[in-house]
Amino acid sequence: MSKRPATLIVLDRNKRESLQTQLAVSLKELVQARVLAPGAAVPSSRDLAGDLRISRNTVIQAYDRLIGEGYLEPSARRGLFVSESLTEKILSRTGLSNASTTVSRFVFQQNSEKLGMPVPFRPCQPDVRLFPLALWNRMRTRALRSYGTHLLHYQSELTLGFPSLRRTLATYLRESRGVQCDWHQVAITTGSQQALYLLAHLLLRPESRVAMEDPGYLGARFAWQRTGARLIPVSIDAEGMRLPPDKRFSAELVYTTPSRQFPTGACLSLSRRLSLVEFAARTNAWIIEDDYDSEFRYSRPPLPSLQSLDSSGRVIYIGSMSKVLFPSLRIGYVVLPASLVQEFTALRSVLDDHGPLIDQATLAQFIDAGAFYSHIRRSRRAYGERLQTFIESASKLLLPLSFPYIDGGMNLTGFLDSTEDDRECSDRLKSIGIEIPALSQYSLRPTRPGLVFGFTAFEQRTTQESMKRVALAFQGRRKGHRGEPAH
Ligand SMILES: Cc1ncc(COP(=O)(O)O)c(C=O)c1O
């Protein structure tokens, strides 16, 4: 290519689309037109940013997006290239004129036929397009270079995870969540789900009593049920989980999501936190604190962890990389009271010896290089804007839902009038391609009806358009109720 791509790219700061989106679209067009031919190197982010007079971050994000969509491929040490396989397939099938539609169809088929993607408004989904995949790959290369083939062997002494990751996570949790821990207490698990499963098998026997939030997280409920334990549903109000005040109340284990109750969104108040910790100390119960999305607070920082208030070693703290990074990474962690470390290690080693070490070493590098913190900041900013768009759309469209907990997280629960059937609403929305689970789906006992919306994985325009479809579905329903045609 004789010309530098920058001379063919026009960006307009007055357009609605971000510079990053405009740049990604322009680069795709250059690929489709073979101006950037298969196998060609693309300019470095620094050069292109300089030529276009935009920030280097904008170029890096646009490149990351094109890597994610398969247009570009990183090559260790040599830079970024136009992907050969994808473009050959596309361009051999079509002429230039319809290249663009074929590309989108090809990319869409690639995603939809083999692998699923979240549809609006599936809860608990990060926007993986924000993830800096190229940077992650560089960290992976760096980890492989540092540890060489040692990383490829069995490392049975690393049952609880890669030591540098355990150390760096211990520091992160002490500083950001007030968690009291030494790194030897941090165990890396295959998602927080594995931690729940292992803890269930370590701490429970058939007929053990497990008090859990109701409505509550199904992943946890299924783990307790596997052991034959008895579930004791505990109600939620605006202050979070409300344990029965009766002093004779007992449970071997209490499961809670205090930062942001899943799925309602209520935050456990300080007085309830103190009484929960006091209950555990008095009765020798275990508390499992699942802190699954506390990184996402938009207006004020979250309360420190429940574990930080515990002086009896009865609180087990669980976290996950599924929301802050991406869910298929399958990395979670648990901070164990010192008294449980040995038994947990023994159980984990029977299950799978140890987890995948290349990803753990990569993650340690990613955190130590500061990329973890910048990604959290970038995601928090994007999700904060999406939360605003969501709330504005819901109120403009006069949806018959109330959203009492709108201060953070990745999901918003909209409560319906108590006469409504939330499963019927959810099914109706599903029939038009919108996925919003009913609150009752998470409940053991009858609960106030509601719908659980996830807002983080969807761009603002998608949210606005999908909310209009939700509103139309509600309008159709109301007309149907009054005996009028529902269309
Ligand atoms: C309450 C709660 N805990 C934990 C998780 C994360 O699970 P994992 O780390 O297994 O992906 C989720 C995911 O949706 C969740 O909602």
Side-chain angles (χ1 to χ4, degrees):
M1 192 184 65
S2 54
K3 283 186 176 175
R4 294 178 77 160
T7 59
L8 302 168
I9 295 172
V10 181
L11 303 178
D12 180 353
R13 287 178 196 277
N14 297 321
K15 271 194 176 169
R16 258 179 87 136
E17 287 84 18
S18 66
L19 291 178
Q20 184 215 115
T21 302
Q22 292 180 47
L23 178 57
V25 169
S26 301
L27 286 166
K28 269 191 222 178
E29 283 166 1
L30 295 182
V31 171
Q32 286 155 11
R34 282 183 180 262
V35 175
L36 281 171
V42 297
S44 73
S45 54
R46 192 186 303 276
D47 287 348
L48 190 57
D51 287 348
L52 293 171
R53 291 169 200 272
I54 57 177
S55 86
R56 194 168 160 216
N57 244 352
T58 304
V59 180
I60 291 173
Q61 283 167 11
Y63 279 174
D64 281 347
R65 190 160 149 181
L66 296 184
I67 292 169
E69 291 181 18
Y71 281 86
L72 301 182
E73 274 172 353
S75 160
R77 282 199 289 275
R78 291 192 310 128
L80 261 187
F81 293 83
V82 177
S83 160
E84 302 209 36
S85 48
L86 177 66
T87 47
E88 268 165 17
K89 276 183 196 148
I90 294 160
L91 296 172
S92 62
R93 275 205 227 142
T94 64
L96 259 187
S97 56
N98 61 357
S100 164
T101 47
T102 312
V103 170
S104 350
R105 204 177 317 129
F106 182 80
V107 171
F108 177 71
Q109 279 175 357
Q110 240 193 355
N111 289 335
S112 66
E113 281 180 12
K114 293 193 190 133
L115 301 168
M117 281 175 77
V119 296
F121 288 98
R122 186 181 299 169
C124 298
Q125 308 297 315
D127 188 342
V128 297
R129 293 165 299 184
L130 300 175
F131 186 72
L133 208 48
L135 183 59
W136 177 264
N137 285 336
R138 284 204 291 280
M139 296 298 148
R140 188 172 188 273
T141 308
R142 192 187 286 181
L144 282 165
R145 217 180 294 135
S146 311
Y147 298 102
T149 49
H150 290 87
L151 266 185
L152 311 183
H153 290 290
Y154 283 116
Q155 299 289 356
S156 303
E157 73 287 8
L158 302 188
T159 298
L160 295 192
F162 204 65
S164 62
L165 178 58
R166 295 169 68 197
R167 277 198 203 94
T168 204
L169 274 178
T171 308
Y172 166 65
L173 295 173
R174 277 195 300 265
E175 288 173 0
S176 67
R177 307 291 300 121
V179 173
Q180 316 171 65
C181 65
D182 173 83
W183 72 269
H184 294 99
Q185 292 168 259
V186 177
I188 311 298
T189 52
T190 306
S192 53
Q193 189 59 37
Q194 190 188 53
L196 294 169
Y197 183 86
L198 288 170
L199 290 168
H201 284 79
L202 197 60
L203 305 176
L204 302 175
R205 300 284 166 268
E207 299 302 312
S208 293
R209 289 163 57 84
V210 178
M212 81 168 280
E213 298 167 337
D214 191 47
Y217 180 45
L218 293 177
R221 191 207 289 180
F222 297 150
W224 320 139
Q225 279 173 331
R226 279 266 141 200
T227 66
R230 279 168 55 201
L231 299 178
I232 305 161
V234 179
S235 316
I236 308 294
D237 62 19
E239 285 188 61
M241 171 182 224
R242 188 166 35 120
L243 275 194
D246 186 343
K247 284 278 181 216
R248 287 167 305 175
F249 176 77
S250 72
E252 274 91 335
L253 192 152
V254 179
Y255 169 80
T256 179
T257 46
S259 291
R260 210 164 186 280
Q261 201 275 327
F262 184 85
T264 62
C267 173
L268 193 66
S269 66
L270 187 58
S271 63
R272 294 253 175 103
R273 285 170 191 246
L274 293 170
S275 47
L276 201 51
V277 168
E278 183 276 323
F279 166 81
R282 179 168 47 82
T283 65
N284 256 357
W286 294 108
I287 296 177
I288 293 187
E289 171 178 24
D290 183 351
D291 205 20
Y292 62 104
D293 76 352
S294 63
E295 285 84 1
F296 300 122
R297 289 295 167 280
Y298 310 108
S299 41
R300 55 195 155 100
L303 286 179
S305 65
L306 183 64
Q307 198 262 17
S308 68
L309 301 172
D310 171 39
S311 52
S312 324
R314 304 306 297 178
V315 179
I316 303 167
Y317 177 92
I318 287 184
S320 175
M321 291 293 157
S322 294
K323 318 294 160 189
V324 264
L325 300 183
F326 57 97
S328 74
L329 182 59
R330 305 313 297 137
I331 291 186
Y333 48 89
V334 49
V335 179
L336 297 157
S339 61
L340 286 181
V341 171
Q342 213 177 340
E343 279 185 87
F344 187 94
T345 312
L347 186 59
R348 171 77 201 261
S349 77
V350 175
L351 185 68
D352 61 355
D353 199 11
H354 60 80
L357 295 181
I358 297 178
D359 282 341
Q360 293 184 22
T362 305
L363 177 55
Q365 300 269 0
F366 191 78
I367 298 176
D368 290 342
F372 180 67
Y373 301 96
S374 354
H375 181 59
I376 292 178
R377 276 198 301 277
R378 188 171 40 229
S379 309
R380 195 186 284 141
R381 205 176 316 122
Y383 297 167
E385 287 166 11
R386 291 173 190 190
L387 172 65
Q388 251 343 91
T389 304
F390 182 93
I391 296 167
E392 280 162 22
S393 302
S395 79
K396 203 155 55 181
L397 293 163
L398 302 174
L399 294 184
L401 292 157
S402 68
F403 293 94
Y405 310 115
I406 54 170
D407 56 337
M410 306 176 81
N411 313 316
L412 288 182
T413 291
F415 289 93
L416 288 156
D417 187 89
S418 57
T419 55
E420 296 277 3
D421 177 345
D422 57 8
R423 286 189 194 231
E424 188 267 324
C425 287
S426 173
D427 288 346
R428 173 177 276 258
L429 290 164
K430 198 169 189 175
S431 71
I432 57 163
I434 302 255
E435 192 179 317
I436 314 176
L439 195 55
S440 58
Q441 193 186 309
Y442 300 96
S443 310
L444 290 160
R445 299 174 302 185
T447 188
R448 187 174 164 192
L451 294 171
V452 185
F453 293 74
F455 61 85
T456 44
F458 316 106
E459 276 168 8
Q460 276 142 296
R461 200 179 301 166
T462 308
T463 291
Q464 285 160 339
E465 281 161 12
S466 305
M467 285 297 267
K468 282 187 198 149
R469 294 172 59 211
V470 171
L472 281 174
F474 270 110
Q475 279 166 17
R477 232 175 113 255
R478 278 203 292 271
K479 281 186 187 157
H481 276 180
R482 282 193 234 114
E484 294 166 29
H487 49 76

